[in-house]
Amino acid sequence: MKPSMEEKKRLKRDRIFRAASKIFSEKGYFETTVADIAKEAGVSFGTVFTYFETKEMLYETVILEQLEEIKPHFLDIQGTFTGDPMEIITAMVDRHVTIFSEKSEFLRLVQQVLARLDRYPALFEELDSFVSDFIESVSPVLEEGQKMGVFYPDPHDLLAHSYMSTLNGMRLTYIDDPSNLRLWEALKIQAIRLFGPYHHPDGARKW
Amino acid sequence: MKPSMEEKKRLKRDRIFRAASKIFSEKGYFETTVADIAKEAGVSFGTVFTYFETKEMLYETVILEQLEEIKPHFLDIQGTFTGDPMEIITAMVDRHVTIFSEKSEFLRLVQQVLARLDRYPALFEELDSFVSDFIESVSPVLEEGQKMGVFYPDPHDLLAHSYMSTLNGMRLTYIDDPSNLRLWEALKIQAIRLFGPYHHPDGARKW
Amino acid sequence: MKPSMEEKKRLKRDRIFRAASKIFSEKGYFETTVADIAKEAGVSFGTVFTYFETKEMLYETVILEQLEEIKPHFLDIQGTFTGDPMEIITAMVDRHVTIFSEKSEFLRLVQQVLARLDRYPALFEELDSFVSDFIESVSPVLEEGQKMGVFYPDPHDLLAHSYMSTLNGMRLTYIDDPSNLRLWEALKIQAIRLFGPYHHPDGARKW
Amino acid sequence: MKPSMEEKKRLKRDRIFRAASKIFSEKGYFETTVADIAKEAGVSFGTVFTYFETKEMLYETVILEQLEEIKPHFLDIQGTFTGDPMEIITAMVDRHVTIFSEKSEFLRLVQQVLARLDRYPALFEELDSFVSDFIESVSPVLEEGQKMGVFYPDPHDLLAHSYMSTLNGMRLTYIDDPSNLRLWEALKIQAIRLFGPYHHPDGARKW
DNA sequence: TATGAATGAGTCTTCATTCAT
DNA sequence: GATGAATGAAGACTCATTCAT
């Protein structure tokens, strides 16, 4: 096969992948037909099966590959963010909320999966270990912040879990307008407050 | 119709209703068949259509009626809970988290709907106005707490929205075991912290 | 049973009968539900089965009983109409077309049956012998008219069959407005012309 | 798509089309199942939906396409038949009755539709304008014949309507045996008589 | 006798997947 | 590799009929 052939194949796979992500996130797994995806991708629906064995595998692939993309932002907290613990958490929350506000397509998919975890065991396992890895990654920061007295003295897994809950919940609370900056900014602060009391940088009040 | 007849009808409708709630919450709308529900309810599938016009109407009814049941706990905050603002919010969160931990079936259904809001316009509207009404109901308490300086000085709708986000998110974060008391207790505290800094009642530390 | 009881039963049967005739003629056999008929008759659909064993028997009864009603007008031509042959035929056609223009409900039912003769063997036999009996009844008149030279010299069954065809066809040709008198009058003359040349009573022309 | 492929598709569509025409005409719309048609056509029932969107569209298509086929025989009277007016009408009737005697399958379908015109609005409109167009096409011939005194001096639309009625009625009057030539010949003469007095070519009598 | 709840056979329709071209 | 025709499993829904009340 000529290199250009491989390149062409890669591009076509990508077209199908992106079409699937879009349509699945909009209509959910069951109301999406393979024909829908093929049409969006501009290929015949037979071609979809050339690149992905079944509809179900396509769905899982679409989610898992995008999860890989965002992993670095969650699994190397200390390598990615610097400063004192509150600065690290603030930067982390900022990054995460920004990612989620931009990746609403992916987040919708995650919601769908979370609503049917037993239905997708492979995805469940992946998401579960993702959360575990995140806890492990953020733990040292929490530890230090707790020692310094700027974070609540609760167990790390609880803090991390409720943070993940809140991130997830954000998308659910009817926020589909990524341009609603005021809301997203406010949600960032609310997320930070899960770790420790937080006052607005510009606030006159202190807590 | 004789009273005993009406009573029997009511009971059978209820059997179907509860079967539907169970199966829908477990398998989602599309993977649930009307036959599944009928079997769980112990009736012929034709009977399901005697009580509910279509599968879709059954789904909506199951959600809307249960939403009505929990509404009082959200829409009359001041009539239901007493004390100073922090005491009211604490009691409210306690009640809400308890309800949600017990109504995990219903919450799953809500997750499903939230993941496909455009698919269920009637449900969307209902949930949307539910949230608005809650904000209105909780607003006076927040106002007072903010004056007293125990709550964050953010706009009420933001505080309330992030609270609802967090409640929603809780169910998503893999908590299906209602007996996991430690986790639920911790989540309550996290929820309270969205409104203002909070320390454990038994904590030695003060914030 | 008190006479009033029998009377009441007869009335109720009649209500169902008339409702069935109306709805069947409008929607046809298959798109009519027993519930439709019951609703039109103002009874519960269970009651329909008290008076008629099955939906199919109700359909047949509705047609056969109305066929009996119009039979006298077809089966005793010489006893009913008087005059010379052309006068008899003219009066007969007038009577028949008038009946059909008024009994459009019944005629619709007959069309339905004629379109599916093999489906309703009992009705077929009844209609077939009705036509035979009509031919026999009209035959002496045709005989005499042919001798006098005012009717075409064709076999009686052909003349009679094409007359019946034309009567049937009339309803088919989009005539649902019984008040369209000009049309019905014209169709009468056309029907007479199947037996022999005919000029308008007021026509200046002679044929 | 290769030409052979298109050819194969056309043939298969045709097989389904003819099977549908046969079964629909025999059993009517409602008693015909798509499975019946598929079986008659020798394909899987899923294949029927590859070629026709719904059962209803298949029904309409079957009727409309066959209507198109017979249209030329009705809508270009003067271009198709030659001679004096009576010769034209005689040839036309001969052609029409022959078509109808051979197309009894199609005629049955038309009866079904005429018995439920409101049920099939698209078909109604088509049939209605077909009749109008026929009247327009035959009108000049009637005009000339009337001037010559060989046709009845009635309005063209009445003559044409009763002619159509009679053609329709023919099929209704229990004539399913296309080989019953004597009957069909007789009916042709009856049809001609709707336009003007007519004697058998071989008749000694004159009218 | 009247009612209407219960039943389940029967049908259209959708759509993932296969496979010949 | 790409296409799309063919397949048939699966499911929602209708409705005549039964029968307990």
Side-chain angles (χ1 to χ4, degrees), chain A residues 12 44-47 51:
Chain A
K12 187 162 287 193
S44 121
F45 71 85
T47 306
Y51 292 88

Side-chain angles (χ1 to χ4, degrees), chain D residues 7-206:
Chain D
E7 178 68 6
K8 253 172 79 178
K9 274 192 67 172
R10 214 182 47 69
L11 284 173
K12 186 158 287 190
R13 182 192 186 278
D14 210 52
R15 275 228 307 288
I16 295 168
F17 183 97
R18 273 180 288 112
S21 180
K22 179 174 187 297
I23 310 283
F24 276 140
S25 81
E26 284 169 5
K27 314 216 286 180
Y29 180 77
F30 291 102
E31 283 193 300
T32 296
T33 70
V34 176
D36 287 340
I37 294 169
K39 197 177 168 190
E40 173 76 23
V43 299
S44 129
F45 71 85
T47 303
V48 173
F49 291 99
T50 304
Y51 291 86
F52 301 92
E53 279 196 40
T54 62
K55 181 188 175 186
E56 181 128 1
M57 279 196 49
L58 173 53
Y59 188 66
E60 297 203 349
T61 303
V62 159
I63 292 170
L64 290 177
E65 287 194 10
Q66 296 191 69
L67 183 62
E68 288 305 313
E69 280 180 40
I70 67 157
K71 263 188 182 173
H73 304 290
F74 283 81
L75 303 188
D76 184 20
I77 301 302
Q78 286 179 301
T80 313
F81 309 102
T82 53
D84 65 46
M86 181 53 93
E87 282 167 349
I88 290 177
I89 291 298
T90 302
M92 178 193 81
V93 169
D94 187 74
R95 173 77 57 85
H96 290 172
V97 173
T98 300
I99 288 171
F100 276 28
S101 72
E102 285 165 352
K103 288 248 177 194
S104 75
E105 199 175 284
F106 171 60
L107 260 195
R108 268 175 181 262
L109 293 171
V110 173
Q111 311 310 335
Q112 293 167 15
V113 173
L114 291 174
R116 293 297 319 286
L117 275 183
D118 54 325
R119 178 71 180 67
Y120 307 100
L123 295 175
F124 168 76
E125 206 159 326
E126 207 50 45
L127 289 172
D128 199 42
S129 74
F130 172 70
V131 172
S132 299
D133 291 348
F134 168 65
I135 292 174
E136 204 175 319
S137 168
V138 81
S139 204
V141 180
L142 299 183
E143 185 70 30
E144 198 187 335
Q146 287 175 331
K147 276 189 196 142
M148 293 169 60
V150 298
F151 291 159
Y152 295 121
D154 299 86
H156 304 161
D157 61 335
L158 286 179
L159 295 176
H161 260 123
S162 56
Y163 174 60
M164 294 301 277
S165 286
T166 297
L167 283 185
N168 279 321
M170 284 179 185
R171 237 304 277 110
L172 285 179
T173 320
Y174 328 151
I175 307 161
D176 262 330
D177 182 4
S179 64
N180 191 339
L181 288 183
R182 166 180 161 275
L183 186 50
W184 285 109
E185 284 311 307
L187 289 173
K188 282 178 193 171
I189 288 162
Q190 290 295 78
I192 296 168
R193 285 171 177 159
L194 293 167
F195 296 97
Y198 181 80
H199 61 90
H200 293 264
D202 56 351
R205 260 201 122 108
K206 68 171 195 294

Side-chain angles (χ1 to χ4, degrees), chain C residues 44-47 50-51:
Chain C
S44 120
F45 71 86
T47 305
T50 306
Y51 292 88

Side-chain angles (χ1 to χ4, degrees), chain B residues 71-89:
Chain B
K71 264 187 181 173
H73 303 290
F74 283 82
L75 302 189
D76 183 20
I77 302 301
Q78 287 179 300
T80 312
F81 309 103
T82 54
D84 66 46
M86 181 53 94
E87 283 168 348
I88 290 178
I89 292 297

Side-chain angles (χ1 to χ4, degrees), chain B residues 35-150:
Chain B
D36 287 339
I37 294 169
K39 197 178 168 189
E40 173 76 21
V43 300
S44 128
F45 75 87
T47 303
V48 174
F49 291 99
T50 303
Y51 291 88
F52 302 91
E53 279 195 43
T54 62
K55 181 188 175 186
E56 181 129 2
M57 279 196 50
L58 173 53
Y59 188 66
E60 297 203 349
T61 303
V62 158
I63 291 170
L64 290 178
E65 288 194 11
Q66 296 191 70
L67 183 62
E68 287 305 312
E69 279 180 42
I70 67 156
K71 264 187 181 173
H73 303 290
F74 283 82
L75 302 189
D76 183 20
I77 302 301
Q78 287 179 300
T80 312
F81 309 103
T82 54
D84 66 46
M86 181 53 94
E87 283 168 348
I88 290 178
I89 292 297
T90 303
M92 178 193 80
V93 169
D94 187 73
R95 172 78 56 85
H96 290 172
V97 173
T98 301
I99 288 171
F100 276 28
S101 72
E102 286 166 351
K103 288 248 178 194
S104 74
E105 199 175 287
F106 172 59
L107 260 195
R108 268 175 181 262
L109 292 170
V110 173
Q111 311 310 335
Q112 293 167 15
V113 173
L114 292 173
R116 294 297 317 288
L117 274 182
D118 53 324
R119 178 70 179 67
Y120 307 101
L123 295 175
F124 168 77
E125 205 159 327
E126 208 48 45
L127 290 173
D128 199 41
S129 73
F130 173 70
V131 171
S132 300
D133 292 348
F134 168 65
I135 292 174
E136 204 174 320
S137 169
V138 82
S139 202
V141 180
L142 299 182
E143 185 70 29
E144 199 188 333
Q146 288 175 330
K147 276 187 196 144
M148 292 169 60
V150 297

